[in-house]
């Protein structure tokens, strides 16, 4: 995955090797050199397209992508999509490609890419944060909260600000759910009526009065 170094070594070998005596090795070296220079070009092109995008965080952890045009976003998506299909785990650029691809797709699809990053680098803070944000967009507040809590003591600066802000939202959402988990008397009566139990309850009360 170190394409710059690989390309330099291979080209140096090709320039010094005797093509007639080592035709097979020289042929392989040329193919690998071409692959290396091609990957370098693909990465640079994708990186240049990515630089024009701006990622904006909205309320409740949602994010949006601002770009010069729809075509710019499509080109960037296509460039990283091609790399994501070709890149191998052992390559240096693997986490970078998967992370950026995760930011270009919707919340549900992004979980796959951020998870790939974390499989190789469990300490990738930005991937954990973005993964938690994907869960927030899908309204899986408990899972998002769990991911954010793992970051709270290990990050600083703007990332920590984002963690605290999103964690507050998750805590509020889970707290509301916990509170609404207890039925009011009216809700209980309605539930019993739906199941035909309200009349039985009334008869029991009448018997007690007698």
């Amino acid at each position: 995955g170190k394409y710059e170094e690989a390309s330099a070594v291979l080209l140096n070998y090709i320039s010094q090797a005797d093509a007639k005596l080592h035709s097979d090795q020289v042929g392989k070296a040329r193919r690998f050199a071409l692959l290396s220079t091609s990957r370098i070009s693909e990465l640079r092109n994708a990186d240049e397209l990515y630089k024009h995008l701006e990622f904006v965080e909205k309320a409740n952890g949602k994010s949006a992508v601002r770009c010069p045009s729809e075509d710019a976003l499509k080109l960037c998506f296509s460039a990283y999509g091609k790399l994501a299909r070709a890149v191998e785990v052992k390559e240096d650029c693997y986490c970078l490609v998967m992370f950026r691809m995760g930011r270009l797709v919707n919340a549900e699809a992004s979980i796959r890419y951020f998870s790939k990053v974390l499989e190789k680098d469990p300490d990738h803070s930005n991937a954990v944060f973005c993964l938690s944000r994907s869960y927030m967009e899908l309204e899986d507040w408990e899972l998002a909260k769990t991911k954010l809590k793992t970051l709270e003591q290990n990050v600083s600066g703007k990332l920590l600000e984002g963690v605290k802000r999103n964690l507050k939202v998750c805590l509020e959402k889970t707290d509301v759910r916990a509170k609404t988990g207890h039925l009011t008397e009216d809700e209980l009566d309605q539930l019993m009526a739906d199941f035909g139990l309200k009349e039985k309850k009334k008869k029991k009360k009448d018997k007690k009065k007698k």
Side-chain angles (χ1 to χ4, degrees):
K2 298 181 182 293
Y3 301 111
E4 297 279 2
E5 294 90 331
S7 183
V9 171
L10 289 164
L11 291 172
N12 182 58
Y13 169 76
I14 292 167
S15 67
Q16 295 181 26
D18 188 324
K20 291 181 180 179
L21 291 174
H22 308 287
S23 59
D24 288 344
Q25 285 115 322
V26 170
K28 286 180 181 178
R30 281 176 178 156
R31 286 195 295 275
F32 282 122
L34 181 62
L35 176 63
S36 295
T37 52
S38 175
R39 185 57 60 82
I40 292 167
S41 177
E42 288 170 356
L43 283 166
R44 284 177 178 166
N45 176 55
D47 183 58
E48 193 59 38
L49 292 165
Y50 191 84
K51 285 177 182 176
H52 295 291
L53 306 182
E54 183 185 357
F55 295 89
V56 183
E57 189 171 350
K58 294 185 173 182
N60 290 353
K62 294 184 179 180
S63 62
V65 183
R66 288 179 185 167
C67 54
S69 67
E70 190 175 337
D71 286 341
L73 183 59
K74 285 181 180 178
L75 286 169
C76 190
F77 178 82
S78 177
Y80 276 103
K82 183 180 178 182
L83 282 165
R85 289 190 296 272
V87 73
E88 296 180 31
V89 177
K90 62 186 178 183
E91 296 182 40
D92 276 8
C93 63
Y94 180 84
C95 286
L96 175 70
V97 169
M98 294 303 169
F99 177 73
R100 289 186 172 179
M101 191 64 193
R103 300 197 76 186
L104 294 170
V105 296
N106 62 36
E108 190 171 354
S110 71
I111 291 171
R112 176 190 167 203
Y113 292 104
F114 295 138
S115 296
K116 283 178 178 286
V117 176
L118 295 169
E119 283 172 12
K120 182 174 181 178
D121 181 7
D123 298 323
H124 198 299
S125 300
N126 284 313
V128 177
F129 179 71
C130 287
L131 180 59
S132 71
R133 194 162 55 191
S134 296
Y135 286 129
M136 288 177 73
E137 287 197 44
L138 296 171
E139 297 187 1
D140 192 336
W141 307 108
E142 286 289 351
L143 201 45
K145 183 174 69 174
T146 301
K147 295 296 179 185
L148 288 166
K149 282 188 173 181
T150 64
L151 285 178
E152 199 174 12
Q153 303 301 321
N154 302 311
V155 296
S156 59
K158 287 186 177 180
L159 185 55
L160 179 58
E161 290 175 12
V163 168
K164 287 183 175 180
R165 182 172 59 249
N166 288 355
L167 189 54
K168 183 181 177 183
V169 173
C170 289
L171 290 169
E172 287 172 353
K173 293 290 183 180
T174 51
D175 186 50
V176 167
R177 285 192 175 187
K179 285 178 180 176
T180 54
H182 301 285
L183 296 174
T184 64
E185 190 172 345
D186 289 340
E187 288 172 334
L188 184 59
D189 286 343
Q190 183 60 52
L191 188 64
M192 292 183 76
D194 292 340
F195 286 91
L197 300 172
K198 196 170 184 180
E199 193 61 35
K200 291 179 182 179
K201 185 181 176 184
K202 188 179 178 182
K203 284 179 181 178
K204 284 183 180 180
K205 284 183 178 180
D206 291 339
K207 283 182 180 180
K208 284 182 181 179
K209 285 180 182 179
K210 289 178 181 178

